[in-house]
Amino acid sequence: AAAAAHGLGTPLSTIFLVAKELERELTDESPFKDDILLIRSQAVRCREILQTLTQEGGVGDVLVSSSSIGDFLEEVAQPLKALNANIQIIKAPYETCAQEDEKEPILARNPGMIYALSNLFENAVEFSKNKVVVKAHWNRENLKIHIRDDGNGFSPGMLKKLGEPFVSSRSMAKRRPDDNVQGGMGLGFFISKTLLERSGAVLKFGNNKSPDQGAYVTVVWDRRSIDIGTQNQG
């Protein structure tokens, strides 16, 4: 519910405010007056639905299906790829992985995890210069997802506070052309971090080591806690 409220709240508020401004500009005789009133009323209705979702957030997520880690990551990346984002997904067991553990982990398509990873992918794409690389590696003990971009990385101040609620720099829309240090990962990153930690993950983030540029986020699970394939094996 918190993820839905965060993801939909900002564009919904924009729609509501623009509709209100247009309503002020139009005369009562305008043929568009009724349309603007309808848009505004529907925005109010959407806001009420979001409030209902928040109130009923304790119902819990429903696991609608499952997929391999590769398919799961492709699903998360697909909306961004449709917008021409350059996201490369690499999946492979660790080189030291025993042969019996090489099979791809199977994940439940949990809506919270999908939202959380989608937000991390979107942040990486937003601050990248050319591409984002997502690597998934696993062995008997762990499943790790490593997300890295080739942008300018996190500022030192952001690194100290990233993951806390309401920590954010100016939005991308308000950044100066020379303000090229990664920021703007406030409440969205906090929600993603919280959702992933509730799934049993441990998150790490930082800047890539020289000569590589950009930032990274690493998500690691105990494999048996997240791989429903191993869970089904008892």
Side-chain angles (χ1 to χ4, degrees), residues 118-150:
S118 295
N119 190 57
L120 295 180
F121 280 28
E122 184 177 351
N123 280 325
V125 168
E126 183 177 10
F127 291 101
S128 67
K129 292 181 179 178
N130 297 301
K131 68 177 180 178
V132 171
V133 177
V134 179
K135 295 182 179 180
H137 294 301
W138 61 88
N139 55 20
R140 176 173 294 184
E141 289 78 26
N142 298 317
L143 167 63
K144 180 174 79 172
I145 297 175
H146 184 76
I147 307 164
R148 61 183 292 171
D149 63 65
D150 59 352

Side-chain angles (χ1 to χ4, degrees), residues 66-99:
S66 60
S67 60
S68 67
I69 182 61
D71 290 341
F72 189 93
L73 295 177
E74 288 289 352
E75 177 184 352
V76 173
Q78 186 54 44
L80 294 168
K81 287 186 175 182
L83 298 175
N84 297 320
N86 184 5
I87 303 177
Q88 181 183 7
I89 294 178
I90 301 171
K91 56 175 185 174
Y94 287 109
E95 292 182 0
T96 57
C97 182
Q99 185 174 359

Side-chain angles (χ1 to χ4, degrees), residues 165-205:
F166 308 111
V167 174
S168 178
S169 66
R170 293 185 306 278
S171 69
M172 289 296 291
K174 296 181 180 179
R175 292 173 69 209
R176 301 189 305 270
D178 60 341
D179 186 9
N180 58 2
V181 177
Q182 189 154 329
M185 294 178 63
L187 182 58
F189 186 85
F190 170 73
I191 292 175
S192 296
K193 181 174 182 289
T194 300
L195 290 171
L196 289 169
E197 286 177 342
R198 286 181 178 177
S199 74
V202 176
L203 274 71
K204 296 181 180 180
F205 41 85

Side-chain angles (χ1 to χ4, degrees), residues 2-18 43 46-47 50 115 119 122 171 173-174 184 187-188 191:
H6 173 71
L8 295 175
T10 300
L12 179 59
S13 295
T14 301
I15 293 170
F16 184 84
L17 290 174
V18 171
C46 288
R47 182 177 293 173
L50 282 183
Y115 171 84
N119 190 57
E122 184 177 351
S171 69
K174 296 181 180 179
L187 182 58
I191 292 175

